[in-house]
Every structure is written in structure tokens, then in C-alpha cells.
Amino acid sequence: MRTRGDVQANVKSTALALFGWRHNITCMKRMFVSSGIVIASVASLMLILADVAPAQVKFTPPGASPLVPPPPPPPPPPKIEVPKIPQMDQVPRQSYQVAPRPSFSDRVSTCLDEAAASGLGPAEREVYARACANTR
């Protein structure tokens, strides 16, 4: 009757004899180095594909152009002007211009609004609007 240790020893020796494996440390070193190179190249390939994949898969809504226009140029820098410093011996010039008079229809509308706000009836609003629009 065979023991478990005999079966394992027989399987090991048969596998070594079939595949020609030897207990040679240089072969193990080569295999370790080559597997490291393969793993590093696969990892770098995955990183490259991970960077490229999102750029290739773009969702464009229906009716939109797949080409994206370039961003607009940056706005020009603000123009900074130094204010004019008033002189002590000069009288400041100020131009006083009278505001332009509103049109007749604008004056009538304003007067009708004022009459309605003060609670006048329709006939009283008409009289008030005529007098008010002509005096303004």
C-alpha cells in the first residue's frame, strides 16, 4: 500500500522528468525577471488604454456637432486711467444741462397715473390730465 508521501514524491519526479525541469536557480531567476517584465508591460499598456479610452468615448446629444469649437480668447485687461487731479487755483468747470423734456404722450400717461393714484374718477382724471400735461 502506498502512502501519501510516496504518491507525492512519485508525481514530483514524474513531472520533473516529463517537462525537463530541474532545480536550477538560474532558470527560476530568468522566469522571475521575465514575468516581471511581462507584468510591467501589461500594467503600462493598461494605463495607456485607460487614458485613451475616455477620450474616445464621447457622448454627443442628438443634433449637436461632434466637433467642439475652441474656447473664446480671454478678454482684454481692464484699462486703468489715472483720474485728473484738481488744481487749487482753477475754478472747477461744471456743465449744467437741463434734462430734456419728456414727450407729450409721456406727460399725459404720467398725469393719468397720478390722477388714478389720488383716487379721481374718470371725468376728473381727464380734466386733471389736460391741465397737468400742458403745465409740465
Side-chain angles (χ1 to χ4, degrees):
M1 183 146 173
R2 294 177 141 176
T3 63
R4 187 172 181 190
D6 293 339
V7 172
Q8 287 177 347
N10 189 19
V11 169
K12 228 182 208 185
S13 66
T14 306
L16 289 174
L18 286 176
F19 298 110
W21 292 345
R22 297 181 186 166
H23 295 288
N24 188 354
I25 197 77
T26 57
C27 291
M28 290 183 185
K29 284 183 182 178
R30 283 188 207 139
M31 191 168 63
F32 178 72
V33 169
S34 63
S35 65
I37 292 172
V38 170
I39 289 173
S41 62
V42 168
S44 64
L45 182 64
M46 288 176 66
L47 287 174
I48 291 171
L49 291 178
D51 286 342
V52 172
Q56 291 176 350
V57 181
K58 268 191 176 175
F59 174 74
T60 53
S65 172
L67 301 175
V68 179
K79 189 175 181 182
I80 300 174
E81 295 180 9
V82 179
K84 187 177 178 184
I85 300 173
Q87 302 296 323
M88 295 299 288
D89 57 347
Q90 289 181 344
V91 178
R93 288 187 176 182
Q94 295 179 355
S95 60
Y96 295 106
Q97 293 181 348
V98 179
R101 188 174 182 187
S103 68
F104 184 75
S105 63
D106 290 340
R107 289 181 295 185
V108 169
S109 297
T110 305
C111 293
L112 284 173
D113 290 341
E114 289 173 358
S118 64
L120 298 177
E124 295 165 330
R125 282 186 210 164
E126 183 182 337
V127 172
Y128 175 80
R130 269 194 224 126
C132 173
N134 288 327
T135 58
R136 288 190 179 195

